Amino acid sequence: MEKAGAGVPPPVGPLCTRTVWRWMCRWRAYMNELDGRFWQHVISLHPTIRMPRGRARPSQRLRYWQQIWMALPPDKVNVGLFHGLYRLRQLGSVAMA
């Protein structure tokens, strides 16, 4: 994390290690919050989607989500993964309010 923070160029960086750590924790919490909604959304769009297994399945969650997102039919998904995750989060915020 020190390398990551130190590698950010001015005027934003270099960043403190604690700042990088806080951002990582927020990102993980965000991903954990969206995990269930992501899979509900994917299954509602394509109930018979083939899930990668074994060596074909990425070990990192974000890469796995990207692979699944790209496997959805283009007519079902017209936004990128991050835009889709943002929409899911906004829908969840509205539902919780």
Side-chain angles (χ1 to χ4, degrees):
M1 283 187 272
E2 286 181 32
K3 287 182 183 179
V8 176
V12 176
L15 298 174
C16 172
T17 304
R18 291 183 303 186
T19 300
V20 176
W21 177 254
R22 270 194 319 272
W23 289 354
M24 279 182 45
C25 289
R26 282 184 193 157
W27 180 251
R28 284 185 186 146
Y30 177 68
M31 298 267 298
N32 290 336
E33 172 191 333
L34 288 177
D35 194 56
R37 278 187 257 155
F38 173 79
W39 291 110
Q40 285 177 344
H41 185 68
V42 166
I43 291 169
S44 73
L45 293 176
H46 193 349
T48 59
I49 192 167
R50 291 184 60 106
M51 306 299 278
R53 295 186 189 180
R55 292 183 182 202
R57 180 183 177 181
S59 59
Q60 295 178 348
R61 182 174 13 187
L62 191 58
R63 287 192 180 152
Y64 188 44
W65 284 6
Q66 180 73 33
Q67 187 174 359
I68 295 296
W69 194 261
M70 297 303 289
L72 292 172
D75 61 326
K76 303 270 184 179
V77 180
N78 61 358
V79 295
L81 175 62
F82 289 113
H83 191 183
L85 292 175
Y86 177 75
R87 282 184 176 179
L88 285 176
R89 185 162 191 236
Q90 295 300 78
L91 289 173
S93 299
V94 170
M96 296 177 80

